[in-house]
Amino acid sequence: MRGARILGTGRALPQRVVTNADLMKSMDTTEEWIVQRTGVRERRFVDPGTGSSALGTEAAKAAIAASGIAPGKIDFIVFATVSPDWFFPGGGVFVQDKLGLPTIGALDVRTQCTGFLYGLSVAEAYVKGGFFDHVLVIGSEVQSTGLDMSTAGRDVSVIFGDGAGAAVVGPAEPGKGILSSHMHAEGKYAKDLMLEAPASIEHPRLSHEMIDAGRHYPKMNGRYVFTHAVRRLPEVIREALAANGLSMGDLSLVIPHQANLRITQAVAAALQVPAEKVFSNVEKYGNTTAASIPIALDECVEQGKIREGDLVCLAAFGSGFTWASTLLRW
Ligand code: UT7
């Protein structure tokens, strides 16, 4: 069977920088609390009228340009988001239209912070199996329009930001590129990080009462999510290494989902690797959910942190709960 590798990456961040001091204008919080508990110093928010499909399209254009293939060679789109422009259709079809691509398929992935890695595994399987040659995988989020910016929502709202990242996956020699993907879910913890409404189990899906009760805002049992993330991330990284007969010493770089600097530091400590081997950019962008790994990957490529032959592990944990890893030989 042929291999599958990432041919090019790209990212798109809104221009508008929102600092912790900006958040202090609408909620009872402090710069000190946010930096100490999360590591986030600023995040980007879109201006009204920009949705996740627009950001995703910008990131996709950059990834296609970096891959060196013509846009017409893209066979399929995988679009990961928790913040589609509309309730339906999903965002992938908007990206297809905005890119001016022909009637190729567009699949939306809804696994929250692990969405990009689940999406990458779809691309990996299609390309390795010979079903498609080039698959565009996008993680894109506009979180800012759905956050409770009052004190009631401060535990959740200070960590999130908007952004998009993308990768083009294409054929590779066997044993090069994406070595393996590992995905897990544990739905019994769905209520510990969720956004309920609009909800199809309610009739109507969204009511004034639901809005008054704040059920259209995300809710998180932060400490509980933190504890699970710190356990599952090292576990799923070790699982990827073991599946390939490799060990921690072989790893050049870990790119974890950017949820909280303390989680990233705890992952480095659990793996017993130096902090510089675990990439972090959460201080600039906050937590961009499905976009955080492809944004980080693109920055690592740009900054020369990944060289040919390097072993890189991508790992994510989030709502569901879901967690996943992807092992890459660059
Ligand atoms: O991307 C998906 C995965 N998500 C994550 O991985 C997030 C994981 N969780 C976390 O990152 C952390 O749990 C948070 C950053 C969300 C919260 O940090 P924490 O250290 O777990 O704080 P906490 O929620 O336990 O709250 C501690 C205190 C509370 O006050 P009391 O009850 O001790 O008086 C909160 O009311 O901090 C208070 N607090 C705040 N204070 C100032 C909560 N949010 C804020 C805030 N500013 N923004």
Side-chain angles (χ1 to χ4, degrees):
M1 192 163 66
R2 68 179 178 177
R5 71 182 182 94
I6 292 176
L7 303 176
T9 60
R11 66 181 188 276
L13 277 316
Q15 296 279 313
R16 185 154 63 100
V17 175
V18 176
T19 62
N20 294 338
D22 292 328
L23 298 186
M24 286 163 59
K25 292 173 196 159
S26 69
M27 64 180 79
D28 179 15
T29 190
T30 61
E31 168 81 16
E32 193 189 11
W33 192 97
I34 301 173
V35 172
Q36 268 184 11
R37 303 283 180 128
T38 73
V40 181
R41 292 181 184 276
E42 56 189 43
R43 72 287 293 145
R44 305 293 180 94
F45 282 0
V46 294
D47 289 323
T50 300
S52 57
S53 76
L55 279 184
T57 302
E58 212 182 310
K61 283 182 181 165
I64 294 169
S67 75
I69 69 158
K73 294 273 184 198
I74 301 290
D75 299 308
F76 194 72
I77 297 168
V78 182
F79 187 79
T81 192
V82 299
S83 51
D85 292 8
W86 296 344
F87 195 80
F88 76 82
V93 297
F94 293 115
V95 173
Q96 183 227 42
D97 182 47
K98 288 185 165 93
L99 288 174
L101 294 176
T103 58
I104 60 169
L107 169 73
D108 270 43
V109 170
R110 291 291 308 271
T111 55
Q112 306 68 248
C113 302
T114 55
F116 183 77
L117 298 192
Y118 270 67
L120 206 52
S121 80
V122 173
E124 176 195 3
Y126 278 149
V127 173
K128 283 186 176 173
F131 199 74
F132 291 127
D133 286 334
H134 298 107
V135 179
L136 173 62
V137 187
I138 302 162
S140 183
E141 304 288 2
V142 169
Q143 299 283 18
S144 57
T145 50
L147 298 173
D148 178 358
M149 288 299 180
S150 73
T151 299
R154 65 182 181 176
D155 57 327
V156 176
S157 301
V158 297
I159 67 175
F160 285 108
D162 302 341
V168 176
V169 177
E173 288 166 40
K176 290 255 174 78
I178 303 173
L179 301 183
S180 59
S181 297
H182 306 268
M183 285 148 293
H184 298 278
E186 203 169 20
K188 68 180 173 188
Y189 296 119
K191 284 188 177 164
D192 289 298
L193 178 46
M194 53 87 173
L195 196 167
E196 252 189 299
S200 61
I201 55 168
E202 301 282 350
H203 199 171
R205 290 177 177 176
L206 189 62
S207 62
H208 293 292
E209 291 73 22
M210 288 163 88
I211 291 178
D212 289 345
R215 291 170 65 191
H216 59 307
Y217 289 133
K219 301 281 181 305
M220 177 165 68
N221 185 352
R223 283 192 188 181
Y224 204 60
V225 177
F226 192 101
T227 311
H228 280 253
V230 165
R231 177 157 70 92
R232 294 302 193 185
L233 286 166
E235 190 180 279
V236 79
I237 292 167
R238 288 198 184 96
E239 180 185 343
L241 289 168
N244 292 278
L246 295 163
S247 64
M248 210 58 70
D250 297 312
L251 262 185
S252 311
L253 188 65
V254 176
I255 304 180
H257 167 52
Q258 303 293 308
N260 182 323
L261 182 62
R262 288 191 295 138
I263 294 179
T264 302
Q265 289 167 341
V267 168
L271 297 176
Q272 296 183 300
V273 298
E276 57 274 17
K277 271 201 174 186
V278 185
F279 184 75
S280 174
N281 62 6
V282 76
E283 67 169 12
K284 292 189 294 182
Y285 308 130
N287 177 344
T288 56
T289 316
S292 93
I293 289 188
I295 291 171
L297 178 63
D298 188 52
E299 287 201 339
C300 288
V301 170
E302 190 177 86
Q303 293 167 16
K305 288 186 189 292
I306 306 177
R307 296 192 193 84
E308 201 179 338
D310 279 356
L311 188 69
V312 179
C313 193
L314 315 177
F317 179 91
S319 163
F321 293 152
T322 61
W323 60 103
S325 64
T326 309
L327 196 63
L328 306 166
R329 177 69 71 187
W330 202 256

